Amino acid sequence: MAQAHLDEARREAEELCAGLPWLTSAQAEDLMDRYMQRRLDFTRRMLRSTVERAAQLRQEYEARYTVLRRDLLRRHAVCACALLLCAGALGSFTGLLVR
């Protein structure tokens, strides 16, 4: 991927220099080097910000997932308790009717 970005920066620099025919070879080479360096610096900054944002999103999603999982567990516990309570009450009621 890095090589592809380098190749693209070189191609863009060559196109830029081709549009400036009055440049000497040394000037064109200097311009190409400067352009490629700026382009690669920009790409590095962009990739770093993407990685940082991905880390932020991961933390946000993990925090949200933890809250949702805890709420779901709580709801299942409440439902299980209610079911046991109903089963116990039904058993007691049936025991009273049988006597």
Side-chain angles (χ1 to χ4, degrees):
M1 197 162 116
Q3 186 62 44
H5 283 283
L6 181 62
D7 292 341
E8 184 178 348
R10 181 175 286 115
R11 183 186 51 76
E12 289 175 2
E14 288 170 354
E15 288 175 3
L16 176 65
C17 289
L20 305 171
W22 58 87
L23 294 177
T24 64
S25 297
Q27 290 173 331
E29 190 172 315
D30 184 46
L31 180 61
M32 283 180 58
D33 290 342
R34 288 175 185 248
Y35 179 86
M36 287 173 47
Q37 188 59 47
R38 284 184 171 235
R39 180 71 166 34
L40 293 176
D41 289 343
F42 174 74
T43 301
R44 281 188 196 103
R45 285 193 313 271
M46 209 168 55
L47 289 173
R48 279 190 196 114
S49 68
T50 301
V51 167
E52 290 170 4
R53 182 63 180 143
Q56 289 173 351
L57 286 174
R58 180 183 178 108
Q59 289 175 347
E60 290 174 17
Y61 284 124
E62 284 177 351
R64 181 67 179 143
Y65 178 74
T66 300
V67 169
L68 290 173
R69 188 175 56 197
R70 185 182 56 226
D71 289 347
L72 184 63
L73 180 62
R74 189 176 298 143
R75 288 177 186 158
H76 277 86
V78 168
C79 287
C81 289
L83 184 63
L84 288 173
L85 182 65
C86 288
L90 185 61
S92 296
F93 182 69
T94 304
L96 288 175
L97 287 177
V98 170
R99 285 187 188 178

